[in-house]
Amino acid sequence: MVMYVKYCGCQSEDDYKLLSSSRADIIGFVFAESKRKVTPEEVSSWVRFHEKRKLLAGVFQNSSIEEMVSAAKEVPLDIIQCHGNESVSTIINLKKRTKKLVYKAIPYSGTISEQISVFAKYADAIVVDSVSKGQFGGTGISFSWTQVPAILKEAKKENVPCFIAGGINPENINSLLEYDPYGVDLSGGIEYEGKKSSERIKKLERMISHVSSNRT
């Protein structure tokens, strides 16, 4: 199976151009409170004059439906990723209002299987991320990847695509690739001094290509 790759936290037009030429399937923009937060107006100006080569995702956290609908009108988003405590009804209404794919991020915990089961019927994909010191997502810290097989098994049972996120980088991705995830979601792991790094992206993609070629 070909693994999907999402690069998140695009913060500038330079980042956007770099990620557009990468192996990524999806480019993510964080519209939630974060050190990587950008505005729909900024993103619209970056993508307006460049050929759209990737799927575009907007990441929100406990935003109102109106705010997410407005952003989807401003930016040619393909995916809306809800990264907070959004309810099933929010997912349903958001899909109805925007006609976009909606991903639901779920914090890794002992109840992850139950959470996947709840949202699998409504979300187009699940993103399992780590929590550190009360912060969900963007922590640069991974959860125990020994739990990934059980997570992927639950997602497969529920027939929902599942991305793994949190603390993935070129130095450790081999450990995660052993479990053959459907997709990976990275942000800080491909940055150097706060900017997306061509060298780190190339290193990461070499790792992915190496593992993929050994499986064929």
Side-chain angles (χ1 to χ4, degrees):
M1 182 180 73
V2 177
M3 186 180 69
Y4 284 82
V5 176
K6 176 172 176 276
Y7 291 152
C8 202
C10 180
Q11 300 178 72
S12 67
E13 187 172 1
D14 285 342
D15 277 356
Y16 180 68
K17 289 191 287 186
L18 175 62
L19 299 186
S20 292
S21 62
S22 73
R23 180 233 184 273
D25 301 286
I26 306 168
I27 298 174
F29 306 94
V30 179
F31 298 127
E33 288 304 321
S34 163
K35 63 183 180 182
R36 299 183 181 92
K37 182 178 181 179
V38 293
T39 67
E41 293 77 18
E42 287 174 318
V43 175
S44 179
S45 70
W46 302 337
V47 305
R48 188 176 302 156
F49 300 110
H50 299 281
E51 180 184 358
K52 186 170 178 281
R53 301 177 183 174
K54 313 290 184 181
L55 296 176
L56 304 184
V59 178
F60 302 86
Q61 190 172 55
N62 301 325
S63 299
S64 68
I65 290 179
E66 292 304 326
E67 182 180 346
M68 291 186 277
V69 168
S70 176
K73 290 179 179 177
E74 179 80 21
V75 181
L77 296 177
D78 302 285
I79 300 161
I80 295 174
Q81 181 171 315
C82 294
H83 214 93
N85 300 316
E86 297 85 5
S87 64
V88 165
S89 63
T90 295
I91 304 298
I92 293 171
N93 289 333
L94 193 55
K95 288 172 68 71
K96 187 181 298 184
R97 291 280 302 276
T98 65
K99 311 300 182 187
K100 307 289 185 182
L101 298 174
V102 176
Y103 288 9
K104 180 67 180 80
I106 301 175
Y108 174 76
S109 71
T111 61
I112 188 66
S113 293
E114 291 89 337
Q115 290 295 301
I116 290 174
S117 179
V118 167
F119 286 101
K121 299 175 182 63
Y122 309 98
D124 295 288
I126 298 295
V127 181
V128 178
D129 205 343
S130 56
V131 179
S132 178
K133 298 179 180 178
Q135 183 181 342
F136 176 29
T139 65
I141 298 172
S142 58
F143 61 89
S144 175
W145 289 339
T146 58
Q147 303 304 311
V148 168
I151 291 170
L152 297 179
K153 182 179 179 180
E154 182 66 26
K156 184 176 182 179
K157 184 182 81 172
E158 297 292 344
N159 195 32
V160 63
C162 181
F163 288 75
I164 303 300
I168 305 169
N169 59 55
E171 290 72 39
N172 66 12
I173 193 169
N174 273 348
S175 298
L176 177 58
L177 295 180
E178 291 179 6
Y179 302 116
D180 198 18
Y182 171 90
V184 292
D185 189 340
L186 299 90
S187 187
I190 52 168
E191 290 179 356
Y192 178 72
E193 295 184 347
K195 296 180 180 180
K196 294 297 185 273
S197 164
S198 175
E199 290 306 310
R200 290 189 65 73
I201 288 172
K202 289 176 182 177
K203 182 177 180 181
L204 179 106
E205 293 181 352
R206 283 196 299 269
M207 300 289 185
I208 294 173
S209 296
H210 177 70
V211 171
S212 298
S213 64
N214 285 343
R215 288 178 178 163
T216 57

